[in-house]
Amino acid sequence: MSGQPHEEADHHGTPDSDRTRDQDRDTDQDTDRDRDRDTDHRSGTPRRLLLTTTAAALAPLLAGIGATAARAEAQDPAPATVEGGGHAHEPVQPVSTTPADWEQVARALGRRGFMAGDMAYNTHFPRRDLHVVSYGVPVSPELSLGSHVAFVRYADGNVLAMGDLTVTEGELQEVTDVLQAHGIEQTALHKHLLAHSPDVWWTHVHAHGRDPVAIARGLRAALDRTAAPPDEPPRPPGPVDLDTDAIDAALGMKGWQEGRVYKTTFARREVVVDRGMALPLGLGTISAFIFQPLGDGRAALNGDVVMVAEEVQDVIKILRQGGIGLVELHNHGLREEPRLFFIHLWAVGDAIGLARTLRKAVDATNVVGVARGRGV
């Protein structure tokens, strides 16, 4: 007896029969262990055959993984970024041009442009047909209602065109369709003004290729869908009723009169690269501050500040502490390096006080003052 009455009760047998069943159980276990060596119980397939067929099935996959790894090792590594934007690969550089190089572009656009520096050919399309009011202020074309486009030629023979078009809300969709039909990209769509009437939008455009005249024709086709007036000779500007010397002193940079407004610009110091092309100083990288006189030293201020991501929050705080309103925070491009952000701004107040606030914003960004004709 085992001294465990419950076992006897469970088996319902004698000690001899217990021993017989124990021997049978041992024999079954030995048989199972032998079977385990050669058989996978889950599938009923002999284990040796399973291992052999599995290895055969995996061989092409393993070979493919090895080939993929080899190809990956053979490929050029991802280009390393470098300080100041762009990549370790040398960007294509812009080349100097003269107005004579852009005669056919001028004919296609229907108006003459001017050189901004010795690389960018600029053309402006002021919307003198629009009578826009923002917060009771009549907005002059020079303050905020001008389309423009700049052309630059590169050492590899390609041409880059960048700019933005001022369009009414009723013109916007048709202009978009025409731009797309001519292969001209739109890289931003936004407003430069807060509450204003009628509603006006700005769409940034980008195109590159070897035929600048074809690009100009596409832009002209889009502009023809607007009520932008034809070109006309510039009018002699009257005096700007502002203390421009004091504004220059506050900003630390000499500005200039443009029509009925006073303007100062700053450009990013970094070399900005867009799709492998180095942008000339100021092309698409400008902080522009425009003062429209309102009398008694007051001005309407419009323009924008260009920043990299790390500068954005500091600039917002500075502008708001100085009573300058925010209109938009966005990008103008899609692929530039370093990535640039723009805050469009609006204020009405003492022009010199506004200039002092703008100077603090300038000091919070990596820019340098640029003289008239150098920026966009």
Side-chain angles (χ1 to χ4, degrees):
M1 300 284 298
S2 66
Q4 297 178 341
H6 66 279
E7 290 184 1
E8 288 183 10
D10 290 340
H11 293 167
H12 300 287
T14 64
D16 288 340
S17 64
D18 289 342
R19 283 194 295 271
T20 300
R21 280 193 291 271
D22 290 340
Q23 290 171 356
D24 292 341
R25 188 183 301 112
D26 293 340
T27 301
D28 292 340
Q29 290 174 350
D30 291 340
T31 302
D32 289 342
R33 280 194 295 271
D34 292 338
R35 191 183 299 116
D36 286 342
R37 296 188 185 100
D38 297 324
T39 304
D40 185 323
H41 290 290
R42 289 169 295 179
S43 64
T45 305
R47 189 178 296 275
R48 292 190 183 93
L49 178 60
L50 180 66
L51 292 174
T52 301
T53 56
T54 301
L58 286 174
L61 178 60
L62 294 172
I65 293 173
T68 300
R71 286 195 297 271
E73 291 178 359
Q75 291 175 348
D76 291 335
T81 57
V82 294
E83 184 177 357
H87 291 95
H89 300 295
E90 188 68 24
V92 182
Q93 297 296 320
V95 298
S96 298
T97 56
T98 68
D101 297 317
W102 304 104
E103 283 291 338
Q104 295 184 43
V105 167
R107 285 197 290 271
L109 290 174
R111 67 186 63 207
R112 305 194 67 81
F114 61 95
M115 295 300 301
D118 58 356
M119 294 179 181
Y121 177 75
N122 272 9
T123 306
H124 288 177
F125 305 85
R127 294 296 304 262
R128 297 190 183 93
D129 60 302
L130 297 177
H131 303 282
V132 177
V133 176
S134 179
Y135 287 103
V137 176
V139 177
S140 71
E142 299 90 352
L143 178 64
S144 192
L145 301 176
S147 303
H148 83 275
V149 62
F151 287 78
V152 180
R153 189 175 298 280
Y154 282 82
D156 63 357
N158 277 300
V159 169
L160 170 66
M162 292 176 64
D164 61 351
L165 308 183
T166 306
V167 297
T168 66
E169 193 156 303
E171 297 166 345
L172 175 60
Q173 306 309 324
E174 190 173 0
V175 167
T176 294
D177 293 342
V178 173
L179 291 171
Q180 295 297 316
H182 285 82
I184 298 172
E185 294 184 359
Q186 291 166 275
T187 59
L189 177 62
H190 58 270
K191 294 188 174 184
H192 289 186
L193 299 167
L194 291 170
H196 62 284
S197 177
D199 281 320
V200 181
W201 294 82
W202 284 259
T203 180
H204 284 255
V205 294
H206 182 112
H208 72 275
R210 292 188 174 271
D211 188 352
V213 178
I215 297 172
R217 287 173 180 154
L219 291 167
R220 173 64 183 271
L223 287 163
D224 284 346
R225 299 305 194 277
T226 74
D231 194 17
E232 61 181 47
R235 303 169 184 172
V240 174
D241 185 19
L242 290 171
D243 188 346
T244 56
D245 289 339
I247 292 174
D248 292 342
L251 283 167
M253 175 64 195
K254 179 65 177 175
W256 69 91
Q257 181 177 346
E258 189 171 287
R260 291 173 284 174
V261 302
Y262 193 71
K263 185 173 182 178
T264 306
T265 56
F266 298 81
R268 296 298 302 187
R269 295 176 184 270
E270 305 97 329
V271 175
V272 178
V273 178
D274 192 305
R275 298 178 231 203
M277 296 175 284
L279 301 183
L281 178 69
L283 180 63
T285 67
I286 284 285
S287 292
F289 306 129
I290 308 169
F291 298 83
Q292 177 180 306
L294 299 178
D296 296 326
R298 298 172 72 251
L301 170 68
N302 198 220
D304 52 0
V305 186
V306 60
M307 307 154 291
V308 294
E310 292 76 15
E311 299 166 346
V312 171
Q313 301 310 316
D314 287 341
V315 170
I316 289 176
K317 291 177 183 177
I318 291 168
L319 294 177
R320 291 304 302 134
Q321 288 169 357
I324 295 176
L326 309 182
V327 180
E328 297 272 3
L329 167 60
H330 63 165
N331 307 101
H332 285 177
L334 297 177
R335 302 178 183 87
E336 77 280 357
E337 300 177 60
R339 199 81 172 98
L340 299 179
F341 296 82
F342 293 80
I343 289 179
H344 288 264
L345 49 86
W346 171 267
V348 173
D350 176 72
I352 299 170
L354 294 174
R356 290 177 180 142
T357 295
L358 293 173
R359 179 64 203 190
K360 294 176 183 177
V362 166
D363 289 342
T365 62
N366 186 30
V367 295
V368 61
V370 291
R372 180 182 183 178
R374 290 300 305 276
V376 177

